[in-house]
Amino acid sequence: MGSLPFTVSGLQTSIDGARSGPTLLCTPLMGTTVDQMLIEMGKAKEIGANVVEIRLDCLRKFNPRQDLEILIKRSSLPTLVTYRPVWEGGQYEGDENKRQDALRLAMELGANYIDVELEVAHDFNSSIYGSKPENFKVIVSSHNFHNTPSAEAIGNLVARIQATGADIVKIATTALDITDCARIFQIMVHSQVPTIGIVMGERGLISRLLSPKFGGYLTYGALEAGAISAPGQPTAKDLLDLYNFRLITPDTKVYGIIGKPVGHSKSPLLFNAAFKSVGLDAVYVHYLVDDVEKFFNTYSSLDWCGCSCTIPHKEAALKCMDDIDPIAKKIGAINNIVRRPDGKLTAFNTDYIGAISAIEDGLRGLNGTNPAASSPLAGKLFVVMGAGGAGKSLAYGAAQKGARVVVANRTYERAKELADKVGGQAITLAEVDNFHPEEGMVLANTTSVGMKPKIDLTPISKESLKNYCLVFDAIYTPKETRLLREARETGAIIVYGTEMLIRQGFEQYKNFTGLPAPEELFRQLMEKHA
């Protein structure tokens, strides 16, 4: 799929009955009793939801008139009533007539919306023709748990839903690739009726986050991470507090982090808080990307302003760039991509700046050297574990500062390839434990050994750590890895991965916005959340 026209300024004006105004945040109530749902309603209101979805199929026992009366009348928020059958991904397995009777009853008792499935919508809508209350809306929904069809097929599906007499069209598909979201965005932008477009699964997350940008009628946010009503659903709290959902408009510029995995990244926390603090109309999201080239080809308009780039894409993304900063080109890996006003992509590597400056400050603290003096890395034996993107950054950065670099990698060939580029020595990871030609070396781990969930692992024995005066770990989940804990116990200075993350973030923010980074804010957030 090629480039899509994603210029959606002025979208949220009323077009042929399509609603104007901000995208609503709907929180599904998944309690198994009416009392639980009432408690959940209170929480939804507290969090800041606009609508609650009463999922009748979650109730273990259901007395239609009595329970609906309580749930609808006692809700302080507008109500959307859904009674999802098993054949559409829900839990209801009973009589179809009774199910539809309950939805009609919800309408009579004052529900603001009901959600009815496309398969039965025509007959259902015929049955309530002439008796619909004035402010009551029928959402007609279609769920595809297998894939996201072509744009043409989705367009035909919208027409079928409209033909049933739907007030609001809801289409939920499944993301096999993040670019599937583009087809749903396209439909939402061009739809002549109010539309809810959702791409389920982690690869579809941006369809939920960016719903206000593309004119979605509403999006769903769970009360808690464990209580989602569909795959990939974020929490309402994250939508509001992490992604600044209420601040997103059709003009909002989109940034993000591409990686696989990517959900652990703290970058959205830092950048969204920073954008908000200076009033920038921008949002920063998680992009779970499988195919980098396909991603950049699909999201190619000026609204997609740039991204951070993490494992495993730091090298693969190079071939998609129009311009590469000379230092990044030497390293052969990038982590910061900016779209220029002419649409061209320019890439940088800020990892090496972040990590090397943190390591230098650690060594200065150890030696008490003057920050203005030459680098404390000069002449040091610097062992880098891992020869991937971050490993290259550290090796190149250390060599540039005058360190003698040793590259250790699982495969010797890859270690040698990098070592040759920086005029260093190569060994395998298996040899690191017995490698100690001198005391007071510096160790930098850029492998994923010790990262969540395998936090009990370490890439080097504690015994071997006594040969190092400083140990840095690029991993920041957890903040204190086993490697760093054991290094501290042996008396080494330790430098957290969070420090590299913060400092490289300063550089990225500057590249993205042209403004200096709010360093104190970044540090406070990392301290609180890492």
Side-chain angles (χ1 to χ4, degrees):
M1 174 169 209
S3 170
L4 289 170
F6 281 137
T7 47
V8 290
S9 303
L11 176 71
Q12 289 180 336
T13 50
S14 191
I15 313 167
D16 294 353
R19 77 184 290 278
S20 59
T23 299
L24 301 174
L25 174 56
C26 177
T27 295
L29 309 180
M30 310 285 289
T32 56
T33 66
V34 170
D35 285 345
Q36 276 180 3
M37 282 194 176
L38 290 172
I39 291 166
E40 289 173 351
M41 272 177 189
K43 287 182 183 170
K45 169 92 171 166
E46 222 171 88
I47 286 172
N50 304 107
V51 182
V52 287
E53 181 185 31
I54 299 169
R55 283 293 298 259
L56 298 179
D57 52 307
C58 292
L59 292 171
R60 278 202 299 265
K61 288 178 185 162
F62 177 48
N63 178 331
R65 183 162 288 279
Q66 180 187 309
D67 294 348
L68 280 167
E69 183 96 47
I70 292 169
L71 288 165
I72 293 167
K73 296 282 192 284
R74 286 211 207 160
S75 178
S76 56
L77 290 171
T79 52
L80 156 56
V81 176
T82 302
Y83 203 179
R84 190 76 73 220
V86 169
W87 48 263
E88 190 82 1
Q91 298 182 41
Y92 180 75
E93 296 185 84
D95 179 73
E96 180 60 20
N97 291 326
K98 285 184 178 171
R99 187 178 78 87
Q100 292 190 32
D101 284 344
L103 291 173
R104 278 185 283 269
L105 184 58
M107 175 187 82
E108 289 162 23
L109 291 172
N112 302 83
Y113 308 89
I114 59 157
D115 178 325
V116 65
E117 302 73 24
L118 172 59
E119 197 170 310
V120 297
H122 194 278
D123 291 345
F124 181 85
N125 282 334
S126 299
S127 77
I128 61 169
Y129 184 75
S131 59
K132 277 168 70 173
E134 194 183 340
N135 290 322
F136 168 79
K137 306 276 186 211
V138 176
I139 298 169
V140 175
S141 60
S142 166
H143 298 78
N144 179 333
F145 294 98
H146 307 292
N147 58 22
T148 299
S150 67
E152 186 185 5
I154 298 170
N156 292 337
L157 186 58
V158 170
R160 278 180 60 208
I161 292 174
Q162 281 182 253
T164 67
D167 298 303
I168 298 164
V169 169
K170 177 185 172 187
I171 292 180
T173 65
T174 297
L176 302 181
D177 189 273
I178 193 168
T179 56
D180 293 345
C181 299
R183 301 199 284 287
I184 290 293
F185 291 149
Q186 203 174 27
I187 291 294
M188 282 159 66
V189 167
H190 297 298
S191 179
Q192 301 297 295
V193 293
T195 301
I196 300 165
I198 286 164
V199 189
M200 296 180 285
E202 197 185 344
R203 287 168 177 79
L205 178 64
I206 60 168
S207 71
R208 300 170 181 279
L209 308 183
L210 300 179
S211 192
K213 181 168 178 62
F214 298 105
Y217 185 85
L218 66 71
T219 199
Y220 298 84
L223 265 184
E224 285 151 16
I228 62 171
S229 62
Q233 193 175 88
T235 64
K237 191 172 183 342
D238 276 353
L239 279 169
L240 295 170
D241 299 345
L242 174 58
Y243 299 108
N244 298 330
F245 182 79
R246 295 260 193 261
L247 301 179
I248 299 172
T249 71
D251 295 322
T252 298
K253 301 296 185 191
V254 185
Y255 297 88
I257 178 162
I258 62 172
K260 184 185 178 182
V262 77
H264 65 282
S265 172
K266 300 280 196 302
S267 296
L269 181 81
L270 302 180
F271 285 102
N272 286 324
F275 293 157
K276 187 179 180 180
S277 74
V278 295
L280 273 180
D281 187 7
V283 64
Y284 186 104
V285 299
H286 288 98
Y287 293 128
L288 178 59
V289 172
D290 298 283
D291 182 331
V292 183
E293 192 173 358
K294 193 175 175 186
F295 174 82
F296 285 117
N297 286 341
T298 302
Y299 300 110
S300 58
S301 81
L302 292 177
D303 276 4
W304 307 87
C305 295
C307 56
S308 310
C309 185
T310 189
I311 297 167
H313 300 312
K314 294 188 178 195
E315 294 159 75
L318 273 168
K319 67 179 186 294
C320 307
M321 298 299 113
D322 298 298
D323 290 305
I324 301 164
D325 175 76
I327 297 172
K329 192 175 269 186
K330 277 187 183 173
I331 293 169
I334 57 178
N335 73 320
N336 181 219
I337 298 161
V338 178
R339 192 181 300 283
R340 298 197 311 246
D342 63 1
K344 302 276 193 225
L345 293 171
T346 301
F348 303 90
N349 188 308
T350 67
D351 277 339
Y352 87 97
I353 300 171
I356 295 297
S357 70
I359 290 167
E360 285 181 322
D361 284 353
L363 288 171
R364 287 189 184 107
L366 185 69
N367 305 329
T369 50
N370 174 3
S374 67
S375 172
L377 275 170
K380 281 277 186 196
L381 199 60
F382 189 96
V383 179
V384 184
M385 301 179 78
K392 286 179 179 175
S393 302
L394 269 292
Y396 177 83
Q400 193 191 37
K401 299 289 187 178
R404 295 168 292 137
V405 176
V406 177
V407 180
N409 195 56
R410 193 168 47 83
T411 56
Y412 177 77
E413 294 71 29
R414 194 138 187 233
K416 181 151 177 32
E417 190 187 336
L418 176 55
D420 286 350
K421 280 182 185 165
V422 297
Q425 181 184 345
I427 58 174
T428 65
L429 285 176
E431 294 174 279
V432 174
D433 271 351
N434 298 315
F435 181 80
H436 44 85
E438 60 188 67
E439 301 298 308
M441 301 185 290
V442 173
L443 179 69
N445 174 46
T446 70
T447 74
S448 59
V449 179
M451 186 192 274
K452 271 184 182 173
K454 299 182 179 177
I455 58 170
D456 296 332
L457 301 182
T458 181
I460 181 173
S461 70
K462 186 175 181 180
E463 177 63 23
S464 305
L465 289 171
K466 66 178 190 297
N467 303 303
Y468 296 90
C469 68
L470 181 145
V471 176
F472 163 78
D473 198 338
I475 292 170
Y476 59 89
T477 53
K479 179 180 178 181
E480 179 141 306
T481 56
R482 180 181 162 191
L483 170 65
L484 291 180
R485 188 173 68 248
E486 292 182 348
R488 191 201 285 110
E489 287 164 5
T490 62
I493 293 278
I494 63 169
V495 177
Y496 293 111
T498 47
E499 195 55 33
M500 167 173 157
L501 180 74
I502 286 171
R503 292 177 185 228
Q504 64 80 26
F506 296 163
E507 294 294 316
Q508 291 208 41
Y509 184 87
K510 202 162 67 184
N511 290 341
F512 284 150
T513 66
L515 303 168
E519 295 189 9
E520 197 46 50
L521 177 65
F522 271 35
R523 289 196 177 282
Q524 285 169 3
L525 288 165
M526 285 306 292
E527 195 57 45
K528 186 176 171 187
H529 296 280

